[in-house]
């Protein structure tokens, strides 16, 4: 039996159902990854997936959890929200015949890890050809954040810093990470609900009036 931070994958499915009122859930459990696909992609990308991530792939395929606008307004809405509120969901990149393309791990790797331009020669030309960097693959990204959680060639998890183009390994496995981030999203959604309620009950809150449709005038007889 597969456990995710003291929860089975079935329990994770149940946990996601409790989030469905405030979040849109996309997964591919009807057509998840096959073991042969997983081994092929590991070889292609030059990485090693952790066992629990492989179990996740053969159960869910991939996953996207994103806040519903009505429950968690996007950043461009005129509502004073804390900085953390811009992180409104997560994507777990994966594999599966019916998985949306934007959740596939191979295109995600190709998008995020085009080789960083290398040093230039005396003529200003790059000495490193453009291609997909091997030995690193993103598997989880928080929606609203550029940094990525990645696997390396040793199967370790690291945080890829978008600003410095560097990977810092962390002492956490896939199961712990997924459960922690899901719980944080649910807790933050409750905080957002409280903020919205306080805003609506504030004396200074002014409801925007709906535009009034002018009455139709009848032509003179």
């Amino acid at each position: 039996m597969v456990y995710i931070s003291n929860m089975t994958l079935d329990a994770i499915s149940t946990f996601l159902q409790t989030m469905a009122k405030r979040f849109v859930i996309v997964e591919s459990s009807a057509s998840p990854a096959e073991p042969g696909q997983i081994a092929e992609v590991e070889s292609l990308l030059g990485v090693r997936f952790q066992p629990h991530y492989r179990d996740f792939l053969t159960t869910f395929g991939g996953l996207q959890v994103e806040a519903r606008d009505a429950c968690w307004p996007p950043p461009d809405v005129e509502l004073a929200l804390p900085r953390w509120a811009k992180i409104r969901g997560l994507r777990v990149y994966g594999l599966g015949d019916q998985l949306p393309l934007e959740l596939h791990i191979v295109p995600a790797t190709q998008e995020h890890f085009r080789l960083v331009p290398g040093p230039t020669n005396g003529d200003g030309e790059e000495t490193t050809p453009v291609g997909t960097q091997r030995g690193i693959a993103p598997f989880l990204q928080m929606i609203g954040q550029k940094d990525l959680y990645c696997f390396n060639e040793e199967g370790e998890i690291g945080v890829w810093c978008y600003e410095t183009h560097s990977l810092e390994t962390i002492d956490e496995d896939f199961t712990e990470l997924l459960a922690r981030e899901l719980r944080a999203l649910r807790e933050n959604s409750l905080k957002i609900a409280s903020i919205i309620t306080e805003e609506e009950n504030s004396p200074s809150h002014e409801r925007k009036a709906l535009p009034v449709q002018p009455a139709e005038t009848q032509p003179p007889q």
Side-chain angles (χ1 to χ4, degrees):
M1 186 172 292
V2 181
Y3 285 87
I4 290 188
S5 291
N6 299 320
M7 289 195 290
T8 65
L9 288 180
D10 286 341
I12 284 291
S13 295
T14 302
F15 186 83
L16 290 171
Q17 290 173 15
T18 68
M19 300 178 69
K21 182 179 179 180
R22 299 178 184 276
F23 295 85
V24 177
I25 313 293
V26 177
E27 43 91 3
S28 186
S29 57
S31 182
E34 298 290 340
Q37 290 177 302
I38 297 172
E40 182 180 345
V41 168
E42 285 180 295
S43 176
L44 175 67
L45 301 180
V47 298
R48 188 173 69 186
F49 297 150
Q50 292 185 353
H52 286 175
Y53 178 67
R54 295 193 192 102
D55 292 329
F56 170 88
L57 292 177
T58 57
T59 303
F60 290 97
L63 177 67
Q64 178 168 296
V65 180
E66 186 168 14
R68 299 180 185 276
D69 289 352
C71 300
W72 189 328
D76 56 352
V77 172
E78 293 182 0
L79 179 65
L81 293 175
R83 292 184 62 182
W84 54 259
K86 69 178 183 179
I87 302 176
R88 305 174 64 248
L90 61 77
R91 296 186 184 97
V92 181
Y93 298 113
L95 297 166
D97 294 338
Q98 296 182 17
L99 191 67
L101 183 62
E102 62 269 20
L103 291 180
H104 271 261
I105 192 169
V106 173
T109 304
Q110 293 170 336
E111 175 187 353
H112 293 291
F113 291 104
R114 305 263 308 163
L115 282 176
V116 178
T120 58
N121 58 24
D123 298 327
E125 298 176 346
E126 295 176 4
T127 58
T128 303
V130 174
T132 302
Q133 184 172 338
R134 282 179 54 80
I136 185 171
F139 68 89
L140 192 152
Q141 182 176 23
M142 305 307 296
I143 296 175
Q145 192 172 56
K146 292 183 178 180
D147 293 349
L148 302 157
Y149 291 106
C150 303
F151 287 122
N152 64 15
E153 57 190 359
E154 302 297 329
E156 299 170 316
I157 289 178
V159 178
W160 175 263
C161 178
Y162 178 83
E163 295 294 333
T164 63
H165 286 191
S166 61
L167 185 72
E168 181 178 349
T169 58
I170 58 176
D171 186 19
E172 193 169 23
D173 68 19
F174 171 77
T175 59
E176 296 170 338
L177 178 60
L178 176 59
R180 175 170 62 81
E181 294 293 7
L182 285 175
R183 288 188 176 110
L185 282 174
R186 187 176 68 171
E187 291 171 4
N188 286 344
S189 71
L190 298 177
K191 294 177 184 178
I192 291 293
S194 297
I195 292 173
I196 293 174
T197 299
E198 291 176 3
E199 177 72 14
E200 291 177 344
N201 294 334
S202 171
S204 61
H205 177 73
E206 296 181 1
R207 295 183 179 274
K208 294 184 177 180
L210 296 175
V212 178
Q213 181 70 26
E216 295 184 1
T217 57
Q218 298 295 329
Q221 299 294 328

